[in-house]
Amino acid sequence: MRKLLLVLLMFVTACVQAESTVLITGSNRGIGLGLVKEYAAHGWRVIATCRSPESAQELQMLAQANNRIIIEALDVTDPAAITALAEKYKKQPIDVLINNAGLLPVDEWNKPLKEMDFDYARKVFDVNTFGPVRIMQAFMDHVAASGEKKIINISSQAGSFANSSHEPKRYVYRGSKAALNMFTFDIAHELGQLGITTIALHPGVVHSQTDESFEEAKQRFPGLITVAESAAKIYQTVAGLTPADNGKFFSYEPGVQMPW
Ligand SMILES: NC(=O)c1ccc[n+]([C@@H]2O[C@H](COP(=O)([O-])OP(=O)(O)OC[C@H]3O[C@@H](n4cnc5c(N)ncnc54)[C@H](OP(=O)(O)O)[C@@H]3O)[C@@H](O)[C@H]2O)c1
């Protein structure tokens, strides 16, 4: 009898998972690609969006091997493309929406105020801050119509005021993530009334830039983690969210809240 119940429970769990859908932005490489693999491994339907599907080779290979991964072209700074995609999926509930796409302006880091490039700064804010806001606006109804109703804005500890480090001078990146944190905190209040749980999430210090080996990079960043570890822990953290977590800032480590 117990065996039968267990099998039944596994079947029900599989059915529930089979119906769950996640939409991820910036999913052709780095943490976004790691999240595609993680959610697909758990049986989710994945709408994997990226700027240039034609050059997203690893993502294309994953989608060829798994028909539950659907690739869609999406630049998070293109309002018309966002509206068109939201319209295409208007009957598709989206359980988890992950705003992952981001610009890490490494070339700009360490530049003093007098050298700030405002054209570039605007571009970074357009992707890192307004991108997630546009996507939330376009897909909030899809999320509200789902079972899980979760929106995850991938932020960074770099956007936390409580992170008192002043080195290096990442003004633009830190500003864009701090602004995203405030949008998340405030918009969560409105979306909470639709039953949606919206959070900001720090994914860890992640080895996503592959021009240097993990071991080499870890010497400079002792807390460095792999994309796979980040994605696996983000999955667990998101799975454990409840409506009581709405409007909060979390680490990728399950159960660890970040100070704003
Ligand atoms: N890596 C870390 O240690 C770390 C730490 C804290 C927070 N984060 C955050 O985590 C997220 C992912 O970072 P990552 O390390 O995986 O970075 P990454 O490897 O540089 O990947 C960034 C992704 O964002 C996409 N993207 C950039 N501009 C876009 C746009 N306008 N529209 C759509 N997609 C766009 C990129 O697409 P293309 O290939 O087309 O450029 C790429 O898929 C970012 O939000 C980042 O700020 C990362």
Side-chain angles (χ1 to χ4, degrees):
M1 186 63 181
R2 276 182 60 150
K3 252 188 183 168
L4 187 69
L5 276 174
L6 195 66
V7 171
L8 196 66
L9 185 70
M10 283 166 69
F11 177 73
V12 170
T13 309
C15 287
V16 169
Q17 283 184 346
E19 282 166 11
S20 298
T21 299
V22 60
L23 186 149
I24 304 165
T25 63
S27 62
N28 55 309
R29 60 187 169 98
I31 298 168
L33 185 64
L35 288 168
V36 171
K37 292 178 186 169
E38 186 66 26
Y39 276 87
H42 286 273
W44 284 56
R45 183 165 190 254
V46 183
I47 303 171
T49 75
C50 61
R51 282 198 284 197
S52 311
E54 62 289 352
S55 55
Q57 287 176 359
E58 197 174 344
L59 186 58
Q60 294 279 5
M61 273 163 52
L62 290 175
Q64 274 161 23
N66 179 349
N67 65 9
R68 297 178 66 72
I69 299 175
I70 303 138
I71 305 175
E72 295 285 1
L74 189 69
D75 184 322
V76 301
T77 64
D78 182 343
I82 294 170
T83 305
L85 193 67
E87 179 63 19
K88 178 174 175 181
Y89 284 97
K90 72 177 176 201
K91 295 208 171 111
Q92 170 68 60
I94 294 173
D95 294 84
V96 175
L97 170 63
I98 305 184
N99 279 308
N100 163 77
L103 273 186
L104 290 84
V106 179
D107 297 343
E108 292 299 301
W109 289 352
N110 290 313
K111 282 196 178 165
L113 179 58
K114 283 193 174 175
E115 289 174 29
M116 188 179 289
D117 176 344
F118 284 93
D119 288 336
Y120 194 63
R122 250 189 296 277
K123 208 168 143 190
V124 173
F125 270 72
D126 208 16
V127 177
N128 292 3
T129 312
F130 295 122
V133 177
R134 285 187 194 99
I135 302 283
M136 285 195 282
Q137 184 191 52
F139 287 96
M140 56 188 266
D141 294 337
H142 307 63
V143 177
S146 74
E148 292 224 12
K149 298 183 179 53
K150 292 171 183 169
I151 297 179
I152 315 303
N153 291 333
I154 301 294
S155 176
S156 172
Q157 66 183 6
S160 166
F161 278 86
N163 174 2
S164 58
S165 148
H166 286 292
E167 293 295 334
K169 302 184 183 73
R170 300 174 178 179
Y171 299 135
V172 173
Y173 182 67
R174 292 189 72 173
S176 72
K177 293 294 189 181
L180 175 61
N181 283 354
M182 182 54 92
F183 273 117
T184 305
F185 174 78
D186 247 5
I187 290 172
H189 183 67
E190 179 183 333
L191 299 190
Q193 288 157 24
L194 302 175
I196 300 173
T197 301
T198 304
I199 64 155
L201 187 142
H202 167 60
V205 179
V206 185
H207 182 242
S208 58
Q209 316 295 319
T210 45
D211 49 355
E212 189 180 26
S213 79
F214 181 75
E215 293 313 322
E216 278 169 337
K218 202 173 163 88
Q219 284 176 7
R220 289 188 296 118
F221 304 105
L224 194 70
I225 58 172
T226 62
V227 164
E229 182 182 351
S230 172
K233 289 188 170 168
I234 290 172
Y235 179 87
Q236 285 175 40
T237 295
V238 173
L241 291 175
T242 71
D245 297 318
N246 190 34
K248 294 182 181 169
F249 185 15
F250 284 95
S251 160
Y252 67 104
E253 289 279 7
V256 179
Q257 211 176 321
M258 299 284 295
W260 291 112

